[in-house]
Amino acid sequence: MTDRTTFVRTRTVDSVPAPVLGRGAPSTTARTARTRRGRRGGSHVVAHLVLGVGGLLMAFPFVWQIIMSLSTNTEVQSVTPVFWPAELQWDNYARVFDRLPFLSQLQTSVTITVIRTVAQILLCTLAGYAFARMRFRGRGLLLALVLSILMVPSQVYLLSQYQLVQGFGLLDSLGGLVLPGLFSAFGTFLMRTAFLAMPAELEEAARLDGANPFQIFWKVMLPLAMPSISVLAITTVLWSWNELLWPLVVTTFSEKMPLSAGLATLIGDRTTDYPVVMAASLLAMAPVLILFIVLQRRVIDGLASSGLK
Amino acid sequence: MAGDGIWPWLFIAPLVAGISVFYFWPVLQTAFYSLTDWGVFGGWTFAGFANYVTLFADPALYLSLGNTLLYTAIVLLGIPIAVYLASLLNLPGLRFAGLYRVLFFLPYVAMPTAVAMVWRVIFNGDFGLLNHALAIVGIDGPYWISTPGAATVAVAIVGLWSSLGFSMIVLAAGLKNIPPEMYEAAELDGATRWRQFRSITVPLLTPSIFFVTIITVISSFQLFDLLYAILGSSNPVLPKSMSLVYFFYREGFVNNDKGYAAAIAMVIFLIIGIVTAIQFRLQKRWVQGD
Amino acid sequence: MSPSFPTPARRGAAVLAGAVGLALALSGCSGGSGGAAGGSGEYAAPESDLSAKITYGVWDQNQVPAIEENIAAFNEEYPDIDVTVNVTPFAEYWTKLQTQASSDTLPDLFWMNGPNIGLYASNGQIEPITGAVDAGDLDLGNYPEALVDLYNIDDVQYGVPKDFDTIGIWANKALFEQAGVPLPEGDWTWQEFQDTAAQISSALSAEGVYGGAGGMDGQTTYYNTIFQAGGTVIDGDASGYASPEAAEGIQFWTDLIASGGSPSIQQLTDTTGDQWFTSGKLAMYWGGSWFRSAITDTDLAANVTVLPLPSGEEQATVIHGVSNVVSAASKNKQAAQALQVFLASEEAQQQQGDAGAVIPAFTGTQSAFTESLPDANLQVFLDSVEYAKPLPVSKNSAAWNAEEAELLPQAFAGERPVAEVTEELAEKMDAALAEE
């Protein structure tokens, strides 16, 4: 099959010994692809400086959130700010489990997120591919219409979607929770962009081999789009994980709510126990963060080093 | 021009069907209700263009549009930063690249309400860290979240902070599409790293940059949650700092003038639509290979 | 209530839908009940074997344990009525309620507050309680009168309060001592308050401590002083801001800020009054009885006492409370009403009081509240019910609340004369009220 030949070809390219004329870089061990790259462009001091300082700035509010999750409510709200609690309040994390049916809400979150992510990857890659690489009447117009739904404030959809779900008899059900989120204009646009950037020769070759458009899409183009698919997966997971208004409106049982909605119930109209909110939100984001760490190493790096670009 | 027959329709059918039912339909309903006097709990009377006439005479529209544009402009500054950072992260053999990626990605994962609380502490006029830091270099910082203008800038800083991670992962995926051989060739020609960045990375990344720009503009125009969370609902500068979508929300869900809110939604739709259409026009000039 | 969507909309919508090939969408969605059909208030206590499933919509997670105790007690009487409690955070509660009301899916029983009762009652979304009152199952005399009135719209009673809150002054005794200012005792006047606040501010200015604090929350600050000056915020169908008394009530805060007795409004936006207080930088915080939960179990608790609000022309405090109301569209109205009546009973209210999250509304069930901080003189909040005025509301309170938020800061900051601002506010508020 064509995709395998591509795979083999690039892999061969990758294993070709590196050009010897690298400038400046202290060449350590030779022969591996890694050092081949390491040789190009000299030292990384500036890069480390920029990324290190920038990264710390980016992470700072988050680190502070961790500290707040271990403080008392008085310390969190104190002026002047308290940077380190008098005593670490690990109890705040235990209280999360008292206040929320955390595990059953986690389960709901995982379920709806998996369903939506799989559905979006499937539907968006299909449509994105068609919009990018196929010719059909009305393509531009349809794409514009799909994109146009991004331009309306999301609250506009609330009432209509609620009544649609009500009409389908899906209020307070898993189906009602996931349904509108199965379809994504953003994802379609993302995948269209990814497919647009790909070379046409691969499709041509497969077509000459007698593959039909679906086979070309599935076996040739889809594997090439993996980096963008992982981006789509990450963004969909995050969006679904943090989504607040919709699950709050369509569910009436706290056990059926996803975590995002459960967390919001910790915020009171007059007084709020902020450390518990901080602790709960850190617990809730942990699975997504772990997923990202795995994805960015396995998928983005993994694909790059296997030569499947 | 010959098409691909039935195939493209099979490819797009599931998505387009879903989008039509759950998204087009509500938009059409909204378009219709924007021409009515729409009751809080349903029911309506036809009002023609009355809502639009009132809207275009409402200073709040221009005020919120101005605030939204300022916010969008500041958040867009994040894109060149993201391109530069993503290209640094893509440097071959860079150690700790995974760690850096996670650091930059953190803000994007963090739960908005929790993070807003932290930012309120940072921006606090009397006791905030930002003003402490500014005082060290001799600048007397404003009451960020309670001064009109400064409040928009403060919210935009958070917007930039939280969107950088998103831009970077999209761009990182784009960078993977640039063959390393090109850099090797440039290296052989003696091109400096900055030169490589300008003549290889940026041009070949333009489709991704274009995508990120479009999405950033669209989502910046949708500014609402962040503004609400950081400024707080009883902030006296909120009326002066509101965004278009906040204006929409205030009329529709607080003041219960739903027909008017529908008209605002349609105007937002139109504005973003025009801005996006212009961007698509302009892309022919600067985006490669599209 | 069946959906009563006018026909032209159906047709118009169908044409639009057809244009993009969307006939499918028509099946379930052109909902919305615009009329003010409402309920009749018909009521009959159900037989104890009534079987039903009902939902109960609330916004405060903290109160769920007490609610569950209530429901357990309710189920002893009605074992086959299955009640599901649905918590939605306050910020999203009203958006959800509006969506549900527009789709005839309101919870059978749900919490209502003063600013929203007018809107929901006048649009026929809520079942009156007249039947239960006539049957003698609900006695309006058991609850604070000002709050009973809050849930009376156009002479129809829609609910009784389940709890209440009043406003008092939370005082930090340690700061008084540090400033060398004696702690006020008993009733006091505006002038005495102003002097005390200014004295503490100047004595402790080096520590950045303030004597008092204003703010943009009318319920805890300027509504009280407007009432104390003998003014009103809303008077029948018109704004009360045009009166000189209302202007005096606003002037109180302008003076307090000008004298240095309070941080500026800008400072109070960045750091709210309760934050100044819990940080030990504010001696006197005008706050609601609900603030107790932020104080108990903190180091501050031992230093805190509650003072009554000062008197102007008269004594006054703002009272507000939440009510349980039955949806007019409920399919299990009898069961919902039975729960509504039970929750208002002395038994259920005593349970609420003992759980300690709120002050229950039923007269005589409040002792647990005062005992929760025995040295803090919480009795002030209960005693002030006598002269309390209900939170000012109208059918669309939010519209003129927004005008207050926009205009009053100019008066508090001394940017414009108070009377000029209140006059402009009265005009804008009247315009908003006229649209209701």
Side-chain angles (χ1 to χ4, degrees):
Chain A
M1 283 306 299
T2 337
D3 57 334
R4 260 183 59 211
T5 55
T6 326
F7 201 85
V8 172
R9 184 172 55 81
T10 37
R11 186 168 280 174
T12 331
V13 168
D14 221 54
S15 54
V16 160
V20 226
L21 280 173
R23 219 171 25 104
S27 78
T28 45
T29 54
R31 273 177 298 275
T32 68
R34 224 187 136 130
T35 39
R36 164 179 65 81
R37 287 177 184 159
R39 201 170 285 166
R40 163 168 76 81
S43 84
H44 290 144
V45 175
V46 179
H48 281 297
L49 205 67
V50 172
L51 291 170
V53 173
L56 287 179
L57 273 178
M58 293 294 278
F60 171 72
F62 174 77
V63 172
W64 202 350
Q65 196 193 334
I66 298 179
I67 297 173
M68 283 183 173
S69 77
L70 295 169
S71 307
T72 65
N73 203 15
T74 317
E75 283 166 336
V76 165
Q77 301 206 60
S78 166
V79 288
T80 52
V82 173
F83 289 98
W84 194 256
E87 203 177 327
L88 292 177
Q89 309 284 328
W90 293 103
D91 187 42
N92 291 336
Y93 285 84
R95 275 156 69 208
V96 172
F97 294 90
D98 294 340
R99 302 275 303 269
L100 293 178
F102 192 88
L103 292 177
S104 62
Q105 293 186 342
L106 180 71
Q107 196 186 347
T108 308
S109 279
V110 171
T111 313
I112 63 173
T113 300
V114 168
I115 294 175
R116 284 165 157 180
T117 308
V118 171
Q120 283 202 12
I121 289 177
L122 214 66
L123 300 181
C124 295
T125 50
L126 273 170
Y129 179 74
F131 281 126
R133 314 215 53 117
M134 290 175 152
R135 293 207 195 106
F136 53 97
R137 199 178 289 276
R139 180 175 73 169
L141 181 69
L142 268 174
L143 180 68
L145 282 175
V146 169
L147 284 187
S148 72
I149 66 159
L150 289 172
M151 297 164 200
V152 185
S154 58
Q155 293 90 340
V156 159
Y157 301 119
L158 184 68
L159 180 61
S160 306
Q161 289 183 346
Y162 182 86
Q163 291 177 345
L164 281 165
V165 165
Q166 182 191 11
F168 296 142
L170 291 175
L171 282 184
D172 219 18
S173 74
L174 187 64
L177 265 175
V178 298
L179 201 49
L182 299 181
F183 313 100
S184 165
F186 162 83
T188 307
F189 185 38
L190 176 73
M191 294 319 298
R192 173 186 174 265
T193 306
F195 286 117
L196 268 182
M198 289 178 190
E201 300 84 39
L202 299 172
E203 277 171 304
E204 288 304 324
R207 196 164 293 141
L208 292 176
D209 285 354
N212 72 30
F214 183 76
Q215 287 168 321
I216 297 176
F217 162 75
W218 191 254
K219 297 203 167 137
V220 184
M221 302 303 272
L222 201 57
L224 290 178
M226 276 322 262
S228 294
I229 291 175
S230 62
V231 171
L232 177 59
I234 290 168
T235 51
T236 308
V237 165
L238 265 176
W239 163 78
S240 172
W241 200 260
N242 286 333
E243 194 192 27
L244 180 60
L245 193 55
W246 178 252
L248 275 175
V249 173
V250 288
T251 53
T252 56
F253 297 90
S254 54
E255 282 78 15
K256 282 191 189 175
M257 280 183 190
L259 265 179
S260 53
L263 287 181
T265 61
L266 295 177
I267 294 170
D269 59 328
R270 286 293 188 180
T271 49
T272 298
D273 194 345
Y274 286 106
V276 173
V277 174
M278 299 292 173
S281 82
L282 287 169
L283 286 176
M285 72 179 266
V288 188
L289 196 61
I290 293 167
L291 182 80
F292 175 73
I293 292 170
V294 171
L295 268 188
Q296 66 100 13
R297 290 191 39 190
R298 292 273 163 78
V299 181
I300 301 183
D301 282 358
L303 282 165
S305 57
S306 74
L308 223 175
K309 30 174 228 296
Chain B
M1 201 184 287
D4 286 294
I6 188 81
W7 285 102
W9 298 101
L10 293 178
F11 274 48
I12 64 169
L15 180 101
V16 170
I19 294 241
S20 304
V21 173
F22 286 102
Y23 297 90
F24 281 157
W25 171 243
V27 172
L28 290 174
Q29 280 187 313
T30 307
F32 172 77
Y33 284 124
S34 74
L35 302 173
T36 70
D37 198 353
W38 187 11
V40 189
F41 303 115
W44 55 273
T45 47
F46 195 69
F49 288 95
N51 288 324
Y52 290 94
V53 173
T54 320
L55 178 58
F56 286 115
D58 191 340
L61 173 66
Y62 305 100
L63 179 78
S64 55
L65 177 61
N67 288 330
T68 308
L69 288 173
L70 174 62
Y71 172 84
T72 306
I74 295 174
V75 176
L76 276 176
L77 292 178
I79 292 182
I81 299 174
V83 172
Y84 178 62
L85 291 173
S87 76
L88 287 185
L89 275 176
N90 200 44
L91 282 176
L94 183 78
R95 303 186 69 185
F96 311 123
L99 174 70
Y100 290 137
R101 234 174 249 146
V102 173
L103 287 182
F104 282 96
F105 189 69
L106 275 175
Y108 187 48
V109 196
M111 181 193 165
T113 20
V115 150
M117 173 80 195
V118 179
W119 279 101
R120 278 184 65 95
V121 179
I122 292 174
F123 284 128
N124 189 299
D126 290 315
F127 310 103
L129 292 188
L130 183 58
N131 281 357
H132 269 294
L134 289 175
I136 292 169
V137 291
I139 300 173
D140 191 13
Y143 283 91
W144 288 96
I145 57 172
S146 52
T147 306
T152 309
V153 174
V155 176
I157 289 172
V158 186
L160 198 160
W161 173 79
S162 61
S163 67
L164 206 57
F166 163 76
S167 305
M168 282 175 67
I169 56 166
V170 173
L171 294 167
L175 283 168
K176 297 297 172 202
N177 286 328
I178 302 177
E181 294 82 15
M182 299 198 65
Y183 291 106
E184 279 152 20
E187 195 97 8
L188 286 175
D189 293 345
T192 62
R193 196 179 280 168
W194 176 244
R195 173 99 209 179
Q196 291 173 25
F197 177 72
R198 274 183 46 209
S199 54
I200 302 174
T201 311
V202 173
L204 288 182
L205 207 53
T206 46
S208 297
I209 297 175
F210 174 67
F211 173 82
V212 169
T213 309
I214 296 266
I215 294 297
T216 304
V217 169
I218 291 177
S219 61
S220 298
F221 265 88
Q222 305 282 0
L223 169 68
F224 172 71
D225 293 336
L226 199 60
L227 182 82
Y228 200 75
I230 291 184
L231 296 193
S233 56
S234 63
N235 191 324
V237 304
L238 204 48
K240 295 184 196 78
S241 309
M242 65 183 174
S243 64
L244 281 168
V245 175
Y246 185 82
F247 177 40
F248 158 80
Y249 173 83
R250 189 185 77 173
E251 295 304 323
F253 290 91
V254 181
N255 291 349
N256 295 320
D257 197 347
K258 302 189 97 183
Y260 193 51
I264 299 172
M266 295 320 291
V267 169
I268 296 174
F269 175 81
L270 214 67
I271 294 173
I272 306 180
I274 291 170
V275 171
T276 309
I278 293 173
Q279 286 178 279
F280 267 91
R281 275 285 137 90
L282 290 179
Q283 73 160 327
K284 297 199 173 76
R285 301 225 184 123
W286 64 277
V287 176
Q288 303 219 338
D290 191 22
Chain C
M1 223 171 359
S2 63
S4 57
F5 208 78
T7 29
R10 241 176 233 281
R11 200 182 307 134
V15 169
L16 286 170
V20 284
L22 275 187
L24 146 81
L26 267 175
S27 54
C29 62
S30 40
S33 47
S40 58
E42 221 171 283
Y43 167 85
E47 301 292 321
S48 63
D49 62 349
L50 176 71
S51 168
K53 269 181 181 303
I54 57 175
T55 52
Y56 179 26
V58 305
W59 63 71
D60 189 355
Q61 178 81 35
N62 290 324
Q63 295 187 41
V64 171
I67 292 169
E68 272 163 3
E69 276 179 47
N70 282 166
I71 292 172
F74 175 71
N75 280 344
E76 278 170 24
E77 210 171 326
Y78 298 104
D80 299 325
I81 299 180
D82 183 18
V83 185
T84 305
V85 180
N86 177 212
V87 188
T88 309
F90 190 76
E92 287 82 17
Y93 186 84
W94 302 104
T95 305
K96 177 171 182 172
L97 211 57
Q98 212 180 77
T99 307
Q100 291 173 320
S102 305
S103 316
D104 290 333
T105 54
L106 280 173
D108 301 286
L109 184 68
F110 56 96
W111 283 7
M112 181 45 69
N113 68 4
N116 286 284
I117 178 70
L119 180 70
Y120 282 80
S122 63
N123 280 287
Q125 298 291 337
I126 299 176
E127 186 74 17
I129 56 166
T130 37
V133 173
D134 291 345
D137 287 355
L138 274 178
D139 181 356
L140 301 182
N142 288 328
Y143 315 92
E145 196 187 336
L147 275 187
V148 172
D149 290 349
L150 195 58
Y151 293 97
N152 188 306
I153 307 295
D154 301 330
D155 293 326
V156 181
Q157 193 70 32
Y158 289 93
V160 291
K162 67 175 264 303
D163 56 31
F164 72 80
D165 47 63
T166 53
I167 311 303
I169 293 177
W170 295 87
N172 184 331
K173 290 185 282 191
L175 290 179
F176 274 86
E177 221 164 280
Q178 205 182 328
V181 175
L183 197 68
E185 274 173 44
D187 292 338
W188 53 332
T189 64
W190 275 16
Q191 195 53 51
E192 284 167 331
F193 174 82
Q194 294 273 1
D195 293 344
T196 310
Q199 275 170 23
I200 295 174
S201 285
S202 69
L204 300 179
S205 64
E207 285 82 15
V209 170
Y210 287 90
M216 286 309 299
D217 176 29
Q219 186 181 352
T220 53
T221 58
Y222 57 85
Y223 288 167
N224 296 283
T225 48
I226 290 174
F227 289 136
Q228 287 158 8
T232 56
V233 174
I234 182 163
D235 185 10
D237 295 329
S239 168
Y241 275 109
S243 73
E245 290 84 8
E248 269 176 59
I250 299 298
Q251 187 73 44
F252 177 91
W253 299 102
T254 309
D255 292 345
L256 185 68
I257 291 168
S259 76
S262 159
S264 70
I265 289 297
Q266 211 165 26
Q267 285 176 292
L268 286 162
T269 304
D270 280 36
T271 313
T272 51
D274 55 337
Q275 265 181 292
W276 286 97
F277 187 78
T278 53
S279 305
K281 288 184 185 301
L282 175 62
M284 295 182 287
Y285 166 59
W286 290 47
S289 43
W290 61 78
F291 188 62
R292 180 193 54 94
S293 66
I295 296 291
T296 33
D297 301 330
T298 68
D299 300 341
L300 206 57
N303 284 327
V304 166
T305 191
V306 178
L307 310 171
L309 298 183
S311 301
E313 287 301 306
E314 53 187 274
Q315 208 169 17
T317 184
V318 174
I319 189 170
H320 180 248
V322 171
S323 174
N324 290 307
V325 296
V326 170
S327 160
S330 167
K331 289 179 185 70
N332 298 297
K333 214 175 276 180
Q334 216 188 4
Q337 285 172 325
L339 180 58
Q340 181 186 37
V341 166
F342 176 78
L343 292 173
S345 69
E346 187 165 8
E347 179 192 355
Q349 289 272 289
Q350 190 66 54
Q351 281 181 321
Q352 286 272 334
D354 294 344
V358 292
I359 309 181
F362 200 104
T363 312
T365 59
Q366 293 107 353
S367 57
F369 170 77
T370 46
E371 284 152 21
S372 63
L373 271 178
D375 301 329
N377 195 21
L378 296 179
Q379 187 63 31
V380 167
F381 292 110
L382 304 185
D383 292 345
S384 59
V385 169
E386 198 186 316
Y387 49 83
K389 304 260 191 201
L391 181 72
V393 297
S394 72
K395 278 175 192 161
N396 196 359
S397 318
W400 49 268
N401 289 158
E403 304 291 354
E404 291 175 332
E406 190 155 3
L407 287 168
L408 290 179
Q410 302 169 14
F412 293 141
E415 287 164 15
R416 289 171 64 193
V418 169
E420 187 185 307
V421 173
T422 48
E423 245 160 67
E424 186 185 341
L425 178 55
E427 259 170 54
K428 292 198 165 159
M429 184 167 160
D430 280 334
L433 289 169
E435 277 179 33
E436 286 183 358

